[in-house]
Amino acid sequence: MKEKLNAIRERAKQELAAAISPEDLDALRVKFLGKKGELTAILKQMGGLSKEERPQMGQLANEVRADIESMLSEKVGELKEKALRHEIESTPVFDLSMPADLDRGSYHPITLVQRECERIFKSMGFTVEDYSEVVSDYECFESLNIPKHHPARDMQDTYYLENGQLLKSQTSAAQNAIYKKYRDSLVNDGVPIKAIFPGRCFRNEATDACHENTFFQMEGVMVDKNISISNLIYFMKTMLSEVFRRDIKVRLRPGFFPFVEPGFELDINCLICGGEGCPSCKHSGWLELCPCGMIHPEVLKAGGIDPEEYTGFAFGLGLTRLAMMKYGIKDIRDMNAANLKGLSQFTDDE
Ligand code: FA5
């Protein structure tokens, strides 16, 4: 039996060395350690051993099991690291000094991150909504608990049309319509509202390395009974870990938006400078990426939803800034500058 146990350990070592995927590792775990695995089969023969041999073989079997488990977890780590390295190496880096291939079209980096976020949220049961760029004052402000002359409007000065409509300054402008669209299925059929809506936003503001007058956000809302901050944090964490596929430092701090209570600012450690401070993060080492919070009762009411019965969270992800961080784009203005030399580097979608 001793030889058989040692032989199993040796074979497990060789087969683990040849494994190349998580599926291979699962199969080896079952093969060696599973209920019907090789080690269990040997242990079943212990009954036939003498009283003296039994504890010795029992100890050896435990050692073999522990060795195989530790080889397996080492290999899991190795494969994960390899996959991560591949992911990082194959992520295009925005480098304006690279020669451009202008013979073929390419996806804009914002399209790439938008699609990636849509894929992630769709897999978690969210619908993807489209919304117009020209909206009313009610959609952009009043329905969001920002009445006329509220100081929060100063932060989002935008472009007004002669007919009183405006270019939306935030994707939150779609919230009211989404609540009204899905309210009946929430109330009558108990279907939670889970929607994201990416879109272009406009603000009348001075531009710099991390501010544009035209940029993209992606709003997300979830409304149901008993939705809490834990749900919000779970979805934010899942989204960021899926997008970046590596450890990202984030910080959550209180933030004020009239349409959420409580409200938070979710910042990520600047990936351009590694947190040391640079123009892309206004020299703070942190980049405001995704404000969020629990939807204010007044906003739910405006959408026809009873805040006594339902709660929800909302977030407003800065998609353009996410693209900057993901692809190492130092200046946000390069993305709107129709610089084909830079943009043609993004050809790797799908
Ligand atoms: C808002 O627009 C809120 N509507 C977000 C929100 C939604 C809060 C739901 C709570 C609940 P803010 O103005 O901070 O918040 O913009 C959100 C994100 O958009 C910022 O974190 C940033 O990533 C991006 N952003 C804002 N202004 C600009 C700009 N001028 N250029 C590029 N990105 C910007």
Side-chain angles (χ1 to χ4, degrees):
M1 182 172 281
K2 190 175 169 189
E3 287 71 39
K4 280 188 188 165
L5 284 169
N6 283 330
I8 288 181
R9 175 165 41 200
E10 197 44 43
R11 222 153 9 82
K13 193 175 168 187
Q14 286 168 6
E15 293 187 27
L16 275 168
I20 53 167
S21 69
E23 290 75 29
D24 289 352
L25 296 185
D26 284 342
L28 290 175
R29 189 186 301 279
V30 173
K31 178 174 175 189
F32 289 105
L33 305 178
K35 274 190 193 152
K36 293 182 183 162
E38 297 193 13
L39 198 60
T40 317
I42 300 256
L43 291 177
K44 281 184 184 155
Q45 299 165 15
M46 296 269 277
L49 294 178
S50 69
K51 247 186 175 180
E52 294 72 39
E53 274 181 313
R54 222 177 288 158
Q56 287 172 8
M57 287 307 119
Q59 194 186 343
L60 180 61
N62 282 340
E63 280 170 21
V64 170
R65 170 178 289 277
D67 283 351
I68 297 178
E69 274 170 357
S70 97
M71 288 190 287
L72 264 165
S73 68
E74 203 177 302
K75 189 74 186 185
V76 167
E78 204 181 288
L79 287 186
K80 265 194 189 155
E81 201 188 311
K82 208 167 152 193
L84 187 65
R85 220 176 309 125
H86 174 75
E87 167 83 24
I88 292 171
E89 280 163 11
S90 58
T91 299
V93 173
F94 194 75
D95 182 353
L96 290 174
S97 64
M98 297 247 291
D101 175 1
L102 298 181
D103 290 338
R104 51 183 186 156
S106 60
Y107 288 104
H108 195 282
I110 296 173
T111 306
L112 294 179
V113 283
Q114 178 177 328
R115 286 187 178 181
E116 180 138 27
C117 291
E118 287 178 4
R119 179 188 61 74
I120 296 165
F121 278 98
K122 273 202 238 168
S123 77
M124 298 192 286
F126 283 69
T127 57
V128 181
E129 310 286 331
D130 198 11
Y131 210 67
S132 51
E133 290 174 356
V134 177
V135 296
S136 65
D137 186 88
Y138 178 78
E139 290 164 295
C140 203
F141 298 119
E142 298 218 11
S143 67
L144 292 165
N145 205 23
I146 312 178
K148 293 216 162 51
H149 311 298
H150 191 290
R153 289 195 179 208
D154 293 351
M155 314 289 286
Q156 298 197 11
D157 187 17
T158 181
Y159 305 93
Y160 288 80
L161 309 186
E162 279 172 4
N163 66 5
Q165 288 190 300
L166 49 108
L167 299 186
K168 74 171 186 278
S169 58
Q170 50 181 347
T171 43
S172 305
Q175 279 194 27
N176 188 259
I178 300 295
Y179 300 143
K180 286 176 177 159
K181 179 172 172 190
Y182 290 113
R183 180 198 165 275
D184 286 352
S185 51
L186 172 73
V187 174
N188 301 334
D189 308 322
V191 180
I193 301 178
K194 287 169 89 179
I196 53 165
F197 21 111
R200 189 181 274 126
C201 301
F202 307 85
R203 291 191 194 175
N204 177 20
E205 63 180 321
T207 61
D208 60 29
C210 58
H211 289 88
E212 255 293 9
N213 52 26
T214 305
F215 58 95
F216 283 78
Q217 287 184 345
M218 191 185 83
E219 193 87 355
V221 293
M222 177 170 183
V223 183
D224 198 1
K225 291 188 173 157
N226 303 320
I227 296 293
S228 70
I229 295 176
S230 324
N231 298 100
L232 166 65
I233 292 174
Y234 168 79
F235 282 104
M236 296 295 91
K237 269 190 172 169
T238 308
M239 188 254 313
L240 290 175
S241 62
E242 285 269 323
V243 168
F244 289 105
R245 313 247 170 111
R246 61 181 140 144
D247 273 344
I248 299 288
K249 263 204 222 157
V250 298
R251 70 176 185 190
L252 201 62
R253 56 192 170 91
F256 174 71
F257 301 91
F259 37 95
V260 285
E261 180 56 39
F264 306 99
E265 288 281 1
L266 188 148
D267 305 335
I268 67 166
N269 204 230
C270 179
L271 299 176
I272 304 282
C273 62
E276 293 198 346
C278 67
S280 311
C281 58
K282 286 198 277 182
H283 302 279
S284 71
W286 294 93
L287 200 74
E288 281 177 17
L289 185 69
C290 186
C292 49
M294 300 305 291
I295 304 166
H296 196 287
E298 289 302 324
V299 174
L300 287 175
K301 262 194 233 164
I305 295 170
D306 181 0
E308 298 289 329
E309 215 176 323
Y310 297 96
T311 49
F313 67 74
F315 62 86
L317 174 69
L319 265 188
T320 307
R321 290 208 186 147
L322 188 63
M324 285 174 76
M325 291 296 109
K326 171 128 179 150
Y327 296 114
I329 300 170
K330 294 195 181 89
D331 196 316
I332 198 169
R333 292 164 291 197
D334 283 331
M335 277 190 275
N336 281 359
N339 182 340
L340 293 182
K341 195 160 175 250
L343 295 176
S344 68
Q345 291 165 19
F346 296 88
T347 50
D348 69 335
D349 193 34
E350 278 135 36

